[in-house]
Amino acid sequence: MTTLTIAEAELLCERAIRSAGGSEQAARSLARQTVMAECFDQPNNGVVHLFDYLTSIQEGRIDGNAVPNITRPAPAMIHSDAGGGLAQTGFDIALEQLVAAARELGMAVFLQRNSYTCGPLGTFAWRLAKEGLIAFAGTNGPPLLAGSGSKDAVFCTNPMAFAAPQADGSPLLIDQSSSATAFANIRAAAHEGKSIPPGWAIDADGNPTTDPHAAMKGAMLAFGGSRGANIALMIEILSAGLTGANWGLDAPSYLSGHESPGTGMFVVAIDPVAIDPQFGQRLSAQLKRLSEGHGVHLPGISKGASVERSERNGID
Amino acid sequence: MTTLTIAEAELLCERAIRSAGGSEQAARSLARQTVMAECFDQPNNGVVHLFDYLTSIQEGRIDGNAVPNITRPAPAMIHSDAGGGLAQTGFDIALEQLVAAARELGMAVFLQRNSYTCGPLGTFAWRLAKEGLIAFAGTNGPPLLAGSGSKDAVFCTNPMAFAAPQADGSPLLIDQSSSATAFANIRAAAHEGKSIPPGWAIDADGNPTTDPHAAMKGAMLAFGGSRGANIALMIEILSAGLTGANWGLDAPSYLSGHESPGTGMFVVAIDPVAIDPQFGQRLSAQLKRLSEGHGVHLPGISKGASVERSERNGID
């Protein structure tokens, strides 16, 4: 077993991305997020997932040399057409402008269309919270998830992320999909010959199933029934409808074929200091009260150690 | 049975509010929302709920003569201190400014603290969508809902609303609480001597219960487990933390005592036309495809007739 520093890991990823045909900017942006996912203890979103990107560059689903077209359709809106390239590149180029706009106006939004899937969404929200901003983000992709009452998949897992800066410690981070479970859990149950709980999936005919094999031919279900499915619909409208990206139903696969999924994302940034310079202190006190006084499990807390590790190593 | 026109119903409500001690502006704002809730087929949020307001004005939980202090801490932020009065009044006063800011900057947010509970949240989002804007709103209140893993109530039902304008027909409207069910359903089960499903509530000791009587002494649970509870936490941070309102845990009751709950709300407004003048057409086509082609149950669709009725009568 070899242990790499953050810098070594990033360099290794960058070289792999360059070799696959990615531009220097693409390599830097994707390598950064890949290593950040590892630091967040999300290995499935880290180096393992990088291989999907490398294959997709080679097979034409990602234009490794795309240059995002960043425009400013309105003072509080920064828009990126990723040109069939990576989602990460456009965000990295726009980040400084987004932070400045949020600080100047109180809030601003990054809206991107025409990209490959964006990887772990929480990383985008996290980076804004490290700048002292509250962030709310979402993204869409090719269909995996049934809508409320639908018989087949009409949305991707359509995750949302929320991050808020604290005076004490790392930002609060919520990073969750709109599905009842991760697809990997259904696949694992199939491998182990176990059944899956009701509420996770429907079969190819649109009927509820506890058979993981039938589930993999059907569609995943949203968390919490129609309320979760409504969240997926909201994320779809903001990340695809508002940005001008492909709706999930129109998005080519991100794992096969030669076309970009052409999907979208949004990241809202809000400056809490415009209202109250003590926001971070109040949030820290409140989260401590919820956690220590009432036993609330705060999202992201279990990842604390890794997140701190990433911070010590400059991944922020 | 007497049938009233919209105008007659509003006038009747206004008179009742004035008689209870509400100012002219308070009467106008609250009457408008009360009748709008009736038109939305939400009678529990309509005239029935108005009596809670009247009692609260008389008992001092609502300052019927409060004048909201509206400020502009940043170009895209309109802040209201409701001064212990109604939530509806501050929003009505700020609405024109909010719409103008969203059109000029691409997006803007209304942030309010120190008010009574805001009634049906969807009405605020709806009114922005009628102006061609996408809206995302949330509000907090005194504790009713457990957090993820907590043994007691730490949040109100913390609802969220989302609305988006369509070229054809009424706006899409999502208006849902963060709880697995409405408190009224637990109360109804208790009256009927029926048990409640697992996942709705915990008892006073923090244990899961299917006994509605035990549930009413305990706390409600979020929809979809920890993911729904995380949404409640996000809504709490945006509606109380960002605005400077009371956290739910610090909010006096809205049904007894003599103090304002002092809670908060946020309403984000986004102008989709800044990106694409055809947004409304694209959304209409997509919602039609989801609904007719894939059987998706769109939120608000069942209320279509009433909403149209309210529009014909100028409630928009």
Side-chain angles (χ1 to χ4, degrees), chain A residues 23 25-30 63 66-71 78-98 109-116 118 124 127 265 267:
Chain A
S23 69
Q25 170 75 57
R28 207 159 42 228
S29 292
L30 182 54
D63 178 350
V67 178
N69 182 25
I70 313 274
T71 54
I78 294 146
H79 189 268
S80 166
D81 186 322
L86 292 169
Q88 293 85 350
T89 319
F91 181 81
D92 278 5
I93 295 172
L95 180 60
E96 197 177 311
Q97 206 180 140
L98 177 64
V109 62
F110 173 74
L111 298 162
Q112 184 165 257
R113 68 172 162 223
N114 203 9
S115 82
Y116 194 72
C118 73
F124 302 97
R127 288 169 67 190
M265 71 184 295
V267 190

Side-chain angles (χ1 to χ4, degrees), chain A residues 72-78 98 101 105 107-110, chain B residues 76 104-108:
Chain A
R72 196 84 178 250
M77 283 176 159
I78 294 146
L98 177 64
L105 303 172
M107 75 189 306
V109 62
F110 173 74
Chain B
E104 183 197 334
L105 302 173
M107 76 189 306

